[in-house]
Amino acid sequence: MNQEHTDPYVVVIVGAGPRGTGILERLLANVGEIPVSRPLRIDLVDPFPPGGGRVWRQEQSSLMWMNALAGNVTMFTDDTVRCAGPIRPGPSLSEWAAADGTHWDVLGMSFASRQVQSHYLSWVFDKIVAECPDGLTVAVHETTATRLTGGPDSRQQVWLADRAEPLDADVVVLALGHQEAGPSEEDLRVAGFAERHGLRYLPSAYTADADLSGFLAGENVVLRGFGAAFVDVMALLTEGRGGEYRVEQGKLRYVPCGDEPVLYVGSRRGVPYRAKIAYRLVGRPAQLPWFFDAAALDRVLADREHLDFRTDLWPLMAKEIGWGYYHELFTAHPNRVTCDWDEFFAGFAAYDWDSAPLRELVEAAVPEPADRLDLAAVDRPLAGLRFAGFDEVQAHVRAEIKADVRRRGEFTHSADLGATAAMLSVNRQLRQLRAIEKLSARSMVQDVHGWWQGFFEYYTSGPPAQRSRQLLALSEAGVVRFLGADMWVDTDEERGVFRAGSASTPDSIEATALVEARLPRADLSTTTDPLLRGLYESGEATDDVLADEDGFEHSSGLLLVSTEDFRVLDKAGRPHPRRYAIGPFTNVRHFAAFATPRSNAVSFRQNDTLARGVLAVLADGDDRFEYPTERHTVHKGLTL
Ligand SMILES: Cc1cc2nc3c(=O)[nH]c(=O)nc-3n(C[C@H](O)[C@H](O)[C@H](O)COP(=O)(O)OP(=O)(O)OC[C@H]3O[C@@H](n4cnc5c(N)ncnc54)[C@H](O)[C@@H]3O)c2cc1C
């Protein structure tokens, strides 16, 4: 490095969304403990305003809501966070809203709009910068970083879209968040079909950002996917077009404006995600982890060469979910069970999940079938059901949604919240379980990243109940129609239309538009981000590939970083001494969500580790910038 020793050290953070903001906060929090020998400048680069960044920018429809309770969202550490750096408390979203006064209706148990969250995140950013210690400057560049250059033993250059000269940096942190991938072969095929026949096609996209103006009033639009992306499209193509909800005799009714298309929605399950529970546990919280404890399991499984997800892990995961569920049922609703908790627990602990004695125990102790936990039925509510036609499918799915809204809103079913807490714990423990490496790559991809993550999100991460009520009202107004489970879509060249149906009914429909209603999958090989693409093409960055000896190989499409300190790994597996990356586009993507107060949130601990690593490198001066010759070992267990 040819710098004068009075020149400041420069850290460039590319991406100033929630993650980049969190990294900034941790750098400023830790700089007092790990002082660097020169002044420090931190440059943030993002074309969108800092704090919220792209997803949480102010300029978006007010119809876009969060799916987390405002009291469960915070950007500030508290004394539960087990990190090496200092704790710097601050308000959660709902506490900030109460103090701010302009968002008086955002309570701990309410769901804020994304615009309100955008206000909160800008306020957080401004507060962090205002409290910046002496000797430290923060600069924001509202532009895109197009390229990252510089060898491991020299300063880095971050090239920007709006100027010829790059930013020189001692360390670069990539916090690039949610990525857009280029079209897949299937996308191109369907897009070509749509173009030939004058149809409309929207591949997977951040639906809140997508241009939906081309969808025509009254045309049949097929939506493939029933999760968060669907909810955004549903809101934008109905209320967003001028339709209105009215409460009539206590019931929500949708009054169409006439500009809506008819939305035919389906998915593998054929039902929407379970509505979010908006209250706290009624009974005593169960101690978690209990049956699915990573440290204990690692000891038990130390001698095992291979693991099987279905026979070795899932029964323990399910038992943990059952523990959370029944603990809440027995401690909060003793009138719904026939024995006391200690008696029930003696049997529950002794018997295997899904065994005949456990089923008998549950049947005897829990008289109401609706109070018993049946995870298979929860996962696939339409499995095995066959309806004569679409009208019957509508009636059945509506009944499912009504039952879900009622169940998720009633304290009598708070056992569902107990199960949710246990599922969150299972997910955390899975991340820490070293023995998970003994699963085959195929099982890791299909069972853990595939089935389990999908089930987890469906059960714990659904929309606010009000969205489910709106869905019902739209269905009753004929604006939304349900396709059923295991939906399919064909391109009919002869008739020049999309055709869609499902395993739930022999009926099918014709449509003139298709929407892939799911968020884009990160894919390093086709990413539209110029900086990432450049690193990938030059071999300075690589994707996370899981492989088995039998030839199975799968790329997650995610950027490979060191699981210990978040440094970017090159194609040869060597961590770069000056480049770090963190967030949902990397292999250590943690279930991407805001931190919940008082939860020792993983994202805070990750941010702290990364920030302290960066400062330690700067504090030690140039000697620390060595390029290691050895490959880094990436642990599969940490890539959830
Ligand atoms: C539509 C949507 C809704 C969500 N809703 C919720 C919710 O309700 N509750 C919840 O807990 N979680 C939610 N999440 C998940 C979570 O909030 C997000 O994961 C969070 O935004 C992640 O923050 P991030 O900073 O890592 O990524 P992002 O928010 O994606 O921020 C990354 C930033 O990097 C910038 N960037 C990328 N490339 C470059 C470049 N080359 N140069 C300069 N800047 C660049 C982008 O412009 C962006 O501002 C949601 C996610 C999405 C996508």
Side-chain angles (χ1 to χ4, degrees):
M1 258 164 57
N2 304 323
Q3 266 179 299
E4 288 298 324
H5 278 226
T6 50
D7 285 351
Y9 277 131
V10 179
V11 175
V12 174
I13 303 176
V14 185
R19 187 60 93 151
T21 304
I23 298 291
L24 173 70
E25 193 279 330
R26 287 291 89 195
L27 283 170
L28 301 190
N30 279 293
V31 75
E33 288 192 359
I34 312 176
V36 295
S37 52
R38 301 187 204 160
L40 179 60
R41 202 182 85 212
I42 302 173
D43 286 23
L44 290 111
V45 183
D46 199 315
F48 292 94
R54 173 182 168 186
V55 175
W56 304 98
R57 66 188 186 278
Q58 197 49 223
E59 277 71 44
Q60 62 181 303
S61 165
S62 59
L63 296 172
M64 302 291 94
W65 297 350
M66 299 193 75
N67 67 0
L69 290 167
N72 282 353
V73 171
T74 189
M75 288 291 287
F76 295 99
T77 50
D78 57 45
D79 58 20
T80 65
V81 179
R82 290 198 296 273
C83 65
I87 299 303
R88 302 206 305 175
S92 67
L93 169 59
S94 59
E95 289 165 346
W96 164 82
D100 180 71
T102 47
H103 303 294
W104 56 269
D105 53 341
V106 176
L107 307 173
M109 290 292 152
S110 57
F111 295 92
S113 71
R114 288 189 205 150
Q115 284 182 333
V116 171
Q117 172 69 347
S118 172
H119 272 145
Y120 172 62
L121 291 169
S122 319
W123 176 84
V124 170
F125 183 83
D126 291 345
K127 174 177 158 66
I128 293 168
V129 174
E131 292 169 1
C132 183
D134 289 345
L136 217 148
T137 47
V138 176
V140 175
H141 308 271
E142 289 211 2
T143 184
T144 302
T146 53
R147 222 152 42 99
L148 173 57
T149 55
D153 45 10
S154 65
R155 293 186 93 200
Q156 306 294 289
Q157 289 78 44
V158 179
W159 299 82
L160 305 181
D162 67 350
R163 73 199 70 167
E165 288 301 309
L167 294 173
D168 283 328
D170 295 284
V171 175
V172 177
V173 180
L174 304 178
L176 309 178
H178 296 281
Q179 291 291 309
E180 215 98 48
S184 66
E185 272 176 31
E186 178 61 7
D187 288 340
L188 291 172
R189 184 190 72 79
V190 179
F193 169 81
E195 202 177 324
R196 273 196 310 283
H197 297 284
L199 310 177
R200 281 144 296 286
Y201 174 56
L202 182 68
S204 63
Y206 293 100
T207 31
D209 299 352
D211 177 7
L212 304 177
S213 59
F215 295 105
L216 309 177
E219 78 171 325
N220 287 353
V221 180
V222 173
L223 293 108
R224 188 156 34 189
F226 227 149
F230 161 73
V231 173
D232 287 354
V233 179
M234 173 189 103
L236 292 168
L237 285 179
T238 54
E239 226 183 336
R241 291 235 166 150
E244 267 179 47
Y245 292 99
R246 289 195 194 140
V247 179
E248 287 175 5
Q249 292 164 344
K251 194 167 177 275
L252 196 68
R253 203 165 74 78
Y254 182 73
V255 185
C257 65
D259 268 350
E260 303 90 343
V262 180
L263 307 178
Y264 279 87
V265 57
S267 66
R268 199 176 55 88
R269 280 191 190 85
V271 295
Y273 282 20
R274 300 272 154 166
K276 215 34 164 299
I277 300 173
Y279 57 81
R280 303 268 181 236
L281 284 173
V282 179
R284 247 182 313 122
Q287 189 178 327
L288 291 163
W290 190 272
F291 294 101
F292 198 76
D293 176 333
L297 272 172
D298 276 334
R299 284 193 296 276
V300 173
L301 299 171
D303 299 336
R304 294 280 298 276
E305 212 174 310
H306 300 292
L307 287 184
D308 180 84
F309 180 81
R310 284 285 158 189
T311 54
D312 296 319
L313 293 185
W314 172 241
L316 293 173
M317 292 161 71
K319 194 152 169 175
E320 186 82 322
I321 299 166
W323 152 252
Y325 179 92
Y326 287 115
H327 188 280
E328 173 67 11
L329 182 70
F330 276 75
T331 61
H333 310 290
N335 57 329
R336 298 176 82 88
V337 295
T338 59
C339 63
D340 69 22
W341 170 245
D342 290 342
E343 193 185 324
F344 179 80
F345 181 66
F348 184 83
Y351 304 134
D352 288 341
W353 182 255
D354 232 4
S355 63
L358 186 63
R359 273 198 298 276
E360 281 162 25
L361 173 76
V362 169
E363 277 165 27
V366 184
E368 222 13 87
D371 284 335
R372 299 175 196 153
L373 180 64
D374 181 345
L375 289 170
V378 170
D379 184 24
R380 298 301 301 265
L382 303 187
L385 298 179
R386 187 90 173 144
F387 302 96
F390 273 132
D391 286 346
E392 281 186 23
V393 174
Q394 307 316 301
H396 188 88
V397 175
R398 263 183 230 155
E400 282 279 341
I401 299 170
K402 272 184 209 159
D404 180 57
V405 170
R406 189 169 310 121
R407 185 177 173 107
R408 290 275 164 140
E410 275 177 358
F411 289 103
T412 31
H413 290 294
S414 66
D416 282 8
L417 191 54
T420 301
M423 280 176 120
L424 291 165
S425 171
V426 165
N427 219 33
R428 270 194 300 272
Q429 296 301 311
L430 263 182
R431 282 178 45 77
Q432 293 161 26
L433 185 68
R434 307 305 293 194
I436 207 170
E437 299 198 340
K438 296 175 182 180
L439 286 180
S440 67
R442 189 189 304 271
S443 177
M444 199 65 194
V445 171
Q446 293 173 355
D447 299 322
V448 181
H449 294 163
W451 175 77
W452 162 252
Q453 279 304 307
F455 180 52
F456 172 78
E457 282 170 31
Y458 157 75
Y459 195 81
T460 66
S461 200
Q466 183 63 2
R467 282 291 193 216
S468 305
R469 286 189 203 98
Q470 291 181 346
L471 177 60
L472 268 178
L474 289 166
S475 158
E476 281 159 0
V479 176
V480 169
R481 307 235 339 134
F482 306 117
L483 284 167
D486 293 317
M487 78 170 280
W488 52 264
V489 186
D490 278 345
T491 47
D492 187 333
E493 282 289 353
E494 219 165 275
R495 291 187 48 81
V497 291
F498 294 109
R499 182 173 297 286
S502 74
S504 305
T505 169
D507 275 4
S508 65
I509 54 118
E510 290 186 354
T512 44
L514 171 63
V515 174
E516 303 292 0
R518 46 175 197 275
L519 298 179
R521 173 182 176 269
D523 185 351
L524 202 53
S525 65
T526 63
T527 179
T528 55
D529 191 293
L531 185 152
L532 270 186
R533 201 175 49 239
L535 291 181
Y536 178 70
E537 284 171 357
S538 65
E540 292 166 89
T542 189
D543 52 340
D544 173 37
V545 177
L546 296 180
D548 284 331
E549 278 166 8
D550 67 4
F552 174 86
E553 196 174 284
H554 173 84
S555 166
S556 69
L558 299 164
L559 176 85
L560 199 62
V561 299
S562 148
T563 46
E564 273 119 45
D565 60 9
F566 309 100
R567 285 193 287 161
V568 176
L569 302 181
D570 68 11
K571 213 170 175 187
R574 291 173 305 179
H576 196 288
R578 296 167 182 269
R579 296 177 182 171
Y580 294 74
I582 191 159
F585 68 109
T586 71
N587 58 311
V588 280
R589 72 189 188 279
H590 172 62
F591 167 64
F594 285 104
T596 302
R598 309 209 57 73
S599 69
N600 185 24
V602 178
S603 53
F604 289 143
R605 286 182 276 142
Q606 291 175 337
N607 292 352
D608 194 68
T609 302
L610 187 153
R612 289 177 75 86
V614 169
L615 291 170
V617 161
L618 298 177
D620 279 7
D622 302 351
D623 304 345
R624 284 287 291 267
F625 292 120
E626 273 170 36
Y627 209 11
T629 47
E630 288 186 7
R631 282 180 65 84
H632 179 86
T633 311
V634 178
H635 297 288
K636 271 195 273 180
L638 294 172
T639 62
L640 272 177

